[in-house]
Amino acid sequence: MGYAGYAPGNKVADALTPLQQALRSLPLDKALETLELLEKITRNVVRNPGEEKFRSIKLTNAKIAEAVANAPAMVDVLQEMGWVKEDEVLVLPPSVRLAHEVHVVGLIDTKDHYKKELENEKRNQSRTAKMSDENKDQLKKAELDRKEKDAEGPVTQGSVAKKLGDGPNIMRAGDVGIGKSAGG
C-alpha cells in the first residue's frame, strides 16, 4: 500500500507545458521521425551552445523541408523552444539556452508517448479487424451515444427524488409476517 492509502504509481496528471502541447500536436504517423530530427538538432545545440552552425536551421535544406512538409507543427515546436523564424531560416538567439533536462528529456518523453499511442492504435485496429459485424455496429452506436452525451454538456444539476405515492407503510418485519410462527 502506498502513502496515505493510495496505490503506488497512482499519479495525478500535471497540466502539459506549452512545449509539451506543441510536441503532442505532431501527426501520429510522422511523429517519431520528426522527433528524431528534433532531438538531433536539440542535442547538437545543447552539446555546442556557442557554435553558430548549430544555432541556425535552413528550412530549404532537403531533410528539414521534407520533415516540415510531413509535419508542419515542427516549426511551431522549434519556435516554442525559442527558435525565431527569419525568412527561410530558423535562428536560435544567443540569449536562449536549451537545457538537456528540459528540452532533450522532453523530446524523449514525447517519443515514449507516441510509441504508446502507436501501440494503442495497432491494438485497436487488430481488435476491429477481429470483431464481427454485429459488434462493430454496437461499437458505432456506443461511440455515437458518447458523442451525443458530450454534446449535451456537463451535468450541472443533481437528480431530485420523486414521491412515488402512498404505498403500504411497513414499519416492522412482523407487520408483514416475517418471524411469526404459523404453528407446527
Side-chain angles (χ1 to χ4, degrees), residues 14-156:
D14 296 330
L16 295 176
T17 65
L19 176 61
Q20 289 171 327
Q21 289 174 352
L23 286 167
R24 291 187 182 188
S25 69
L26 297 170
L28 184 62
D29 56 334
K30 302 291 181 183
L32 291 177
E33 299 148 14
T34 305
L35 288 169
E36 288 292 333
L37 181 60
L38 283 170
E39 184 178 354
K40 184 175 182 179
I41 292 168
T42 306
R43 281 185 189 272
N44 285 339
V45 173
V46 169
R47 286 184 188 139
N48 308 301
E51 269 200 60
E52 287 301 316
K53 73 177 185 179
F54 295 125
R55 297 182 77 84
S56 68
I57 303 170
K58 293 179 184 172
L59 294 175
T60 55
N61 177 313
K63 194 168 188 176
I64 302 293
E66 180 187 345
V68 170
N70 290 337
M74 178 180 161
V75 176
D76 298 334
V77 170
L78 288 167
Q79 288 176 332
E80 189 60 47
M81 288 179 163
W83 295 81
V84 178
K85 189 172 182 179
E86 297 174 359
D87 297 327
E88 292 298 314
V89 179
L90 283 170
V91 179
L92 189 64
S95 61
V96 177
R97 308 263 311 162
L98 297 183
H100 183 274
E101 299 81 21
V102 176
H103 298 94
V104 177
V105 172
L107 287 165
I108 293 169
D109 289 345
T110 305
K111 282 195 319 193
D112 291 342
H113 167 78
Y114 275 108
K115 285 177 185 175
K116 287 178 187 173
E117 290 295 317
L118 283 170
E119 287 173 12
N120 289 340
E121 186 68 26
K122 286 179 185 177
R123 193 175 303 117
N124 288 339
Q125 287 176 356
S126 68
R127 277 186 196 147
T128 54
K130 292 178 185 177
M131 277 189 206
S132 67
D133 289 336
E134 183 180 317
N135 288 350
K136 288 179 184 178
D137 289 342
Q138 288 176 346
L139 196 64
K140 285 179 185 176
K141 287 178 185 177
E143 185 62 32
L144 288 173
D145 289 346
R146 202 173 297 119
K147 287 180 182 178
E148 185 179 321
K149 268 302 208 194
D150 289 342
E152 290 176 6
V155 176
T156 57

